[in-house]
Amino acid sequence: TILTVYARVPPSPKSEGRDKTRAPTWNPPVTLSSYFLPGAMGTRPEFSLAPSLAAGFRLPPRLSLTLRGSARRSPASLHDIHDSSILTDYRSFSAGVDDYYTSSGQSLSASYSYRNAPSGIFVMAMGSYGWNKSKFGTVQNVVGDYVFYSYQSQPSDSRNAMAFFNASKTLD
């Protein structure tokens, strides 16, 4: 049997500006996890920091601009941290990974909005760009009547971009 016990303390300090035209926000979620895993993995404390920094600006009262950036390191699912194969149903096996962190990523985004309630005009535009790195890829092997799902060291990078625009006008 595989027994996994972990304790997690997730404080999320946050700092916000009080100026009416600028509202910077610094949010560095911190996670301190301690894993108690059997076998070769042993007991291991993990400290994770995923900072996020945002700056919001209200230029005239109807315009606002927000810039945001973040970074993260994603842990593997606790169900996948083991060093053996587990029968998941009558014909499938799942092999785990012996690493706590499997991917990381960063992102940048900007949004702009204009609100003119008396005339009923609203405009919003947003764009974001992100890049991710992954250490492992999934592999599916068929052996006889059984399917083995496992992870293989296969570093990969991905990038994504997104843009969104919305304009609306209310009707009387």
Side-chain angles (χ1 to χ4, degrees):
T1 60
I2 294 179
L3 173 66
T4 304
V5 179
Y6 70 97
R8 181 170 286 166
V9 180
S12 288
K14 188 174 185 179
S15 172
E16 293 185 2
R18 295 185 185 194
D19 189 340
K20 291 186 181 199
T21 60
R22 293 179 305 263
T25 302
W26 168 246
N27 186 9
V30 177
T31 303
L32 177 59
S33 303
S34 187
Y35 298 93
F36 307 97
L37 301 165
M41 301 288 291
T43 299
R44 180 173 168 169
E46 285 293 325
F47 176 75
S48 173
L49 178 66
S52 173
L53 179 61
F57 304 95
R58 286 199 182 274
L59 308 169
R62 295 179 178 163
L63 295 175
S64 67
L65 174 67
T66 303
L67 305 172
R68 190 178 309 271
S70 66
R72 64 167 174 66
R73 191 170 74 151
S74 301
S77 168
L78 285 177
H79 302 292
D80 293 334
I81 302 175
H82 56 83
D83 55 1
S84 61
S85 292
I86 296 174
L87 184 64
T88 56
D89 60 29
Y90 70 96
R91 58 176 244 144
S92 300
F93 284 88
S94 175
V97 63
D98 62 353
D99 195 341
Y100 289 93
Y101 291 97
T102 57
S103 65
S104 63
Q106 297 82 31
S107 67
L108 296 171
S109 67
S111 64
Y112 165 82
S113 66
Y114 171 77
R115 294 178 292 272
N116 187 337
S119 66
I121 297 174
F122 302 92
V123 177
M124 200 276 265
M126 185 185 82
S128 67
Y129 184 74
W131 52 102
N132 301 296
K133 290 185 178 200
S134 181
K135 293 183 191 179
F136 299 97
T138 55
V139 177
Q140 175 182 331
N141 292 318
V142 177
V143 179
D145 291 336
Y146 297 101
V147 180
F148 287 85
Y149 297 96
S150 62
Y151 293 93
Q152 180 177 353
S153 179
Q154 187 175 2
S156 65
D157 293 336
S158 66
R159 298 183 187 284
N160 60 60
M162 193 232 358
F164 175 79
F165 178 78
N166 183 29
S168 61
K169 167 77 172 104
T170 59
L171 301 175
D172 291 337

